[in-house]
Amino acid sequence: MSTTAQLFEEPFDADEYIERLAWRTPGGGSKGGAEAFDPKRLLEEFENHIEELKHLDEKIQRRVEKLEHQCHREAKEFAHKVQDLQRSNQVAFQHFQELDEHISYVATKVCHLGDQLEGVNTPRQRAVEAQRLMTYFNEFLDGELRSDVFNNPEKIKEAADIIQKLHLIAQELPFDRFADVKAKIASKYHDLERQLIQEFTAAQRRGEIGRMQEVAAVLLHFKGYAHCVDVYIKQCQEGAYMRSDVFEDTALLCQRVNKQVGEVFQSPETVMTKLIQNIFENKLQAHVKEKLDETRRSDVEQYLKNLYDLYTRTTALASKLTEFNLGSDKHTFLSKLIKNIFSTYLESYIEMEKDYLRTRSAMILQRYYDSKNHQKRPQGGGSIQELKERIRQRTNLPLGPSIDTHGETFLSQEVVVNLLQETRHAFERCNRLSDPSDLPKNAFSIFLLLVEHLCMDHIDYALEIGLSAIPSADAKNANLYFLDVVQQANTIFHLFDKQFNDHLMPLISSSPKLTECLHKKKEVIEQMEVKLDTGIDRTLNCMVGQMKHILATEQKKTDFRPEDENNVMIQCTAACSKVCVYVSRQVERVRKSMDGKNVDTVLTELGVRFHRLIHEHLQQYSYSSMGGMLAICDVAEYRKSAKDFRVPLVLQLFDTLHALCNLLVVAPDNLKQVCSGEQLTNLDRNLLHAFVQLRVDYRQARLGRHFS
């Protein structure tokens, strides 16, 4: 049985159990061993083991039944005990209720008795207090203070309590009968008050917080309590401002005092409020006045910087002070203190800002023009100038003589950066120093100054000079600097637009001034775009005029009607080569001068004019068979230049022109077939006929019949 019990080990596994049993049986292993496998012996062992398991099961079953019986018996006994305890608990609860009622009854009696005793004792205490005060009052009547309380310095607290009450009583007495005693009490009152303040001051110097608290509590009922607070405020500032940074010293002082006033005074928020008010109205106001008054008239730039810095640091200090307990309306309190300091300066701020910005901007511009030895031309006004401007915009004619700028654009990124930097500082000061209701209006006025000096006095003036410097379309070897003006103006206007979005928009985004600013910006952009478009158009005319000049001087009639057609190299003419070199150079200049879609727009216009010029130029000559081949070579070279434009329309135009030039060399019998080709079928028959007429054999071969 013990062996069987050993086989029941946790965790129990039936298969494992059978294996272990077979392994223990001699000759019963699955793999044999020292003895051969004996199934009968294994069967006998299994049967014996089954019998053992049955006996073991019966034994365990009897033990379980015994334990169940014992458990039922103990459960009944426990239930009886619980019932007995419940009955005992109920009895105890009833006794507790009775005791509670009795205690409540006794407590009521005691409270009633206490009220009766208090009703008797309070008048008695008042009578004793009145008798005591009358005794001290008699001493003042007699003129001799015999009580120890008035003569012992250690009892100054008790004496202060007595004299404070006598002082109140004396106020009610008639003056004619008690003038002398009232005067003596008042004298003693002020004497004790002075002694208490001196004691408080001495304790503050010694750093005795406990003594300061005691004296402050006594002085709380005296009229001189406010003077005690003033003395405390004055004394705590002694030695606090040893460094040059008054704002940092103030913050450290308030942090130190804030911890102390809570331990000394019963109303610390009042003391802190009075301390901060004292600091603002004296120390800070004097500091601000000293810093600003010394530069207000002598150095406006430094004055504005100081005003911005002082106001910023003052508001930052006020923000730190809001951490302290200054009452329920501390933000209004601190704002009022700041306003009292800076109100006189903020009232005139925006006018000084505008005057400074106007003067500074004009100086930056004048310094630049002086460095270029340039006397700025006045931009005329009036009806005549307006009439000239309208005529130029509508007809694109140069009015007045062209001037030579020697390649100078009169645009400077350094000047622009300086102007934008000054304006950015102005926007920052405006945001900080302007009243919220005036902020959009003030920011708009600064923006108008930026428009006046940057856009009108610098960019627009440079555009006017650039327009005047553009030569006429028939000028020879003209230097076209207007594209440089366009490039720099474009870069500058990007900087202007960035400042508009980064610094002006946040100040006006939620006000009606936003519409005015956007309208003004749009107006300036449109005005400049008109001049840029005019200048670019006239520059393109000059480019085409230069090409025309090259063709007129370099192209010969014999180029397309060679005397010896058998000894001709099939290559583009010299005129074509020079034009292509010139065109490539101008295309590159356009790409460098512009960005975005403007590049494609200008190159498209230049390409169309280039094509028109070549088309008209080719129609001025007559072509032999070999000359036609040379013309095709020229057009092929022009088409290579057209690829540099990267504009599909321009390339298509030169493809068509190349196809037209094929009419100059094709056999007469094939003309109709060529004209019906994909590239020529949609062209006007008169245009095709005009090209065919350029052939020298037009009349001899009667080619006109192919178009009848």
Side-chain angles (χ1 to χ4, degrees), residues 12 32 114 166 176 183 205 240 263 322 338 490 607 699 704:
F12 178 75
L166 289 176
D176 52 349
R205 287 176 177 161
E263 301 174 359
T322 55
I338 295 174
N490 188 40
R699 297 186 181 279

Side-chain angles (χ1 to χ4, degrees), residues 11-258:
F12 178 75
D13 185 350
D15 293 338
E16 180 67 20
Y17 178 77
I18 297 299
E19 282 292 333
R20 291 171 64 188
L21 179 60
W23 178 77
R24 286 169 178 258
T25 303
S30 59
K31 296 182 181 180
E35 300 180 14
F37 177 69
D38 188 354
K40 291 183 179 181
R41 191 170 182 180
L42 182 61
L43 175 61
E44 182 181 352
E45 182 64 26
F46 278 174
E47 290 174 347
N48 292 335
H49 195 74
I50 290 172
E51 288 300 323
E52 288 181 9
L53 289 175
K54 288 180 179 179
H55 291 307
L56 180 61
D57 180 61
E58 292 174 358
K59 182 179 179 181
I60 292 174
Q61 189 63 36
R62 287 194 298 271
R63 187 176 178 184
V64 169
E65 291 175 355
K66 181 180 178 182
L67 290 173
E68 287 179 349
H69 179 70
Q70 183 180 353
C71 183
H72 286 306
R73 186 178 70 251
E74 290 180 355
K76 289 181 181 179
E77 292 176 357
F78 181 75
H80 289 306
K81 287 182 180 180
V82 170
Q83 290 176 357
D84 292 341
L85 289 173
Q86 286 179 340
R87 284 192 293 270
S88 299
N89 182 59
Q90 188 173 5
V91 172
F93 181 73
Q94 290 175 353
H95 290 167
F96 175 78
Q97 284 185 325
E98 293 174 359
L99 181 60
D100 184 59
E101 291 174 358
H102 187 64
I103 290 173
S104 298
Y105 174 75
V106 172
T108 303
K109 288 293 185 181
V110 170
C111 290
H112 179 65
L113 182 60
D115 291 340
Q116 290 180 333
L117 291 174
E118 185 179 2
V120 173
N121 188 53
T122 301
R124 180 178 175 280
Q125 286 181 339
R126 289 177 180 173
V128 171
E129 180 68 17
Q131 183 183 10
R132 188 167 68 94
L133 291 175
M134 288 173 65
T135 301
Y136 295 133
F137 188 78
N138 286 334
E139 292 183 13
F140 280 98
L141 281 173
D142 296 341
E144 183 180 357
L145 300 178
R146 298 178 298 277
S147 299
D148 182 57
V149 70
F150 292 120
N151 299 309
N152 189 348
E154 296 181 358
K155 295 185 177 181
I156 189 172
K157 181 178 178 180
E158 184 179 349
D161 180 61
I162 294 170
I163 200 67
Q164 193 268 338
K165 293 176 180 177
L166 289 176
H167 187 263
L168 291 175
I169 294 172
Q171 302 299 317
E172 304 297 327
L173 298 177
F175 182 78
D176 52 349
R177 294 177 55 190
F178 298 97
D180 185 51
V181 70
K182 291 178 70 173
K184 292 177 181 178
I185 292 174
S187 176
K188 189 64 176 176
Y189 178 89
H190 293 303
D191 183 52
L192 281 173
E193 186 178 67
R194 178 179 52 78
Q195 292 181 37
L196 287 168
I197 292 176
Q198 290 177 350
E199 177 64 22
F200 181 88
T201 304
Q204 184 179 1
R205 287 176 177 161
R206 294 191 302 268
E208 298 177 358
I209 303 298
R211 183 58 180 164
M212 291 170 63
Q213 182 183 17
E214 292 178 6
V215 177
V218 175
L219 277 170
L220 183 63
H221 304 291
F222 280 76
K223 294 180 180 179
Y225 178 74
H227 182 60
C228 173
V229 174
D230 292 340
V231 170
Y232 173 79
I233 290 174
K234 180 181 179 182
Q235 192 160 311
C236 70
Q237 294 184 60
E238 293 179 358
Y241 294 94
M242 302 299 293
R243 296 179 296 180
S244 59
D245 192 343
V246 65
F247 296 98
E248 189 64 26
D249 287 339
T250 299
L252 294 174
L253 171 63
C254 291
Q255 287 178 355
R256 175 170 57 83
V257 172
N258 184 60

Side-chain angles (χ1 to χ4, degrees), residues 2 38 85 146 206 234 261 286 411 423 502 598:
S2 61
D38 188 354
L85 289 173
R146 298 178 298 277
R206 294 191 302 268
K234 180 181 179 182
V261 294
L411 286 173
T423 310
D502 293 348
N598 293 330

